[in-house]
Amino acid sequence: MRRPLFVFAAGLSLLLTACVAEPAAVSPTPLASETLAALPERPAVEFRSADSVSIPGLRTVTDGDNGSLVYTVIPQIEGYDRLNERLRDVREQDTRDVVDTISAGGAASRGSVNVSWRTLGSAPRIVGFLISSIVSPGASTAVRERSVWYDAAEDRLLGWRDLVRREDHDAVVDDVLAQLRRYVTQPDLASAQDILRSGDPAVGFTATGDLVLQFDEYDVAAGAEGAPAFAVSVSESSLTASGKAAREATLRPQPLEAAPEPPPVPERVDCRVAKCVALTFDDGPSGRTTPRLLDLLEREDVHATFFVLGTQAQAYPKILRRIAADGHEIGNHSWSHPDLTRLDPEDALSQMRRTSRAIEKATGRAPDLLRPPYGARDKKLDALARGDGYAEVLWSIDTRDWENHSPKKIIAAAKKAKRGAIILMHDIHADTVDAVPGVVAALRKKGFTLVTVSDLLGTTQAGKRYYGRY
Ligand code: NI
């Protein structure tokens, strides 16, 4: 009986000795209750809400079961599909497991889910929501909060790293880690750093405009710490344009602008029945020639496909919007017209992606057709196109309008089209625009229906090449 006691006492004294001998090693242990007392109290940090503002087009979607074990409410805003999808995803992620076990019945059916929301900020171009989920899979309860910020002008979802300039990310991370060390018992700094660097902590602003970053319960500290939130003072110059807009939307909320009307879906022609050919116009839009071409096509009631350059799309977003609104199709012709097969894959992808972003920004819709400049393609480019979801559209009739500058020759070339042809022209040349009424008349005389590339081809496959419909 004595022996174990002795061992215990010896062990204790060794432990005490060790502590005395190494005062520097103050790694927190459950015994060191002084450590707890030594921590200053963590300042209460709260997201400022913008609940007072009314948001046009906002409706709430409620999901519940009769037993009230599941009750979720999330907002949706008319016309902002990307935002709405994200909000639904957040609800799904937080509730799926519990809903599954509850609906499976049995012992787990005592669980419950409650999802609610509030507005963090609202302005003509930006809106932010906080989605709070209280999930009880059984006896325990977990609260999770997710922020969803959405830049309506760019149709883009935003995390905290989109609100703060890249060069200031480190300073924000360091500030939060320092606060964790200062105020939180046994913080998991490695997890905190991971979450800040690549995760999606809830983000918003305080009533005084400080940035708020909030972790989930258990993610960076013991459950007793709750969901630690920290305020970081950020100067105006540290915020991105979206960050400034989000802060303004929090402090001085205004109604969000209504979503733009989607362009009307043009009447589809069935090219399995009709004798179709597709007119395509490359290298624009041009402020000088494209509007006149659009007038002509409108008068003739012809829908065509425009393979635009990113540089031009960026310069003429209004013309691009009109192209889409008039029922024409828009495809990607690279940013600055290089031979994509001669570029590194990253550069080629960047040429394609920047262009699609510019098109999407102007029209609300990203293209899924790619016409490689010069028609230059190879297996590598096919793979890139496939990866990014583009069908490659080449042509079967080259009018050589860029060379001959002759409406007569352009019309003669176009007339050689067979059923299913894709005809290549360039809307940046005045002579080409001059030729268009003649081209349309000649093709109609041969019994052709003029359609967009997508109408001609029907369903296309990413990474596949199309020269026409044969
Ligand atoms: Ni071109």
Side-chain angles (χ1 to χ4, degrees), residues 282-283 333 337 426:
D282 287 12
D283 299 359
H333 194 40
H337 213 278
H426 297 82

Side-chain angles (χ1 to χ4, degrees), residues 35-154:
T35 322
L36 285 173
L39 282 182
E41 195 180 335
R42 174 151 51 90
V45 172
E46 280 189 16
F47 291 110
R48 183 178 202 271
S49 282
D51 282 330
S52 56
V53 73
S54 76
I55 299 175
L58 184 138
R59 67 195 169 88
T60 57
V61 178
T62 306
D63 242 341
D65 66 356
N66 293 332
S68 299
L69 294 171
V70 179
Y71 193 85
T72 71
V73 188
I74 55 164
Q76 300 272 277
I77 303 179
E78 178 87 43
Y80 290 117
D81 296 344
R82 194 186 301 275
L83 168 69
N84 294 338
E85 191 183 338
R86 172 75 181 138
L87 290 163
R88 290 195 301 270
D89 279 352
V90 167
R91 177 184 58 185
E92 274 294 297
Q93 284 160 17
D94 284 354
T95 62
R96 191 185 310 129
D97 293 348
V98 182
V99 171
D100 284 353
T101 33
I102 291 172
S103 45
S109 63
R110 286 167 60 204
S112 70
V113 179
N114 185 281
V115 175
S116 59
W117 65 279
R118 58 194 163 113
T119 307
L120 291 178
S122 174
R125 300 166 44 126
I126 200 163
V127 68
F129 294 112
L130 191 72
I131 308 296
S132 307
S133 311
I134 304 172
V135 176
S136 313
S140 66
T141 295
V143 181
R144 282 164 112 188
E145 291 196 310
R146 295 270 173 284
S147 58
V148 178
W149 284 93
Y150 173 71
D151 184 328
E154 300 200 356

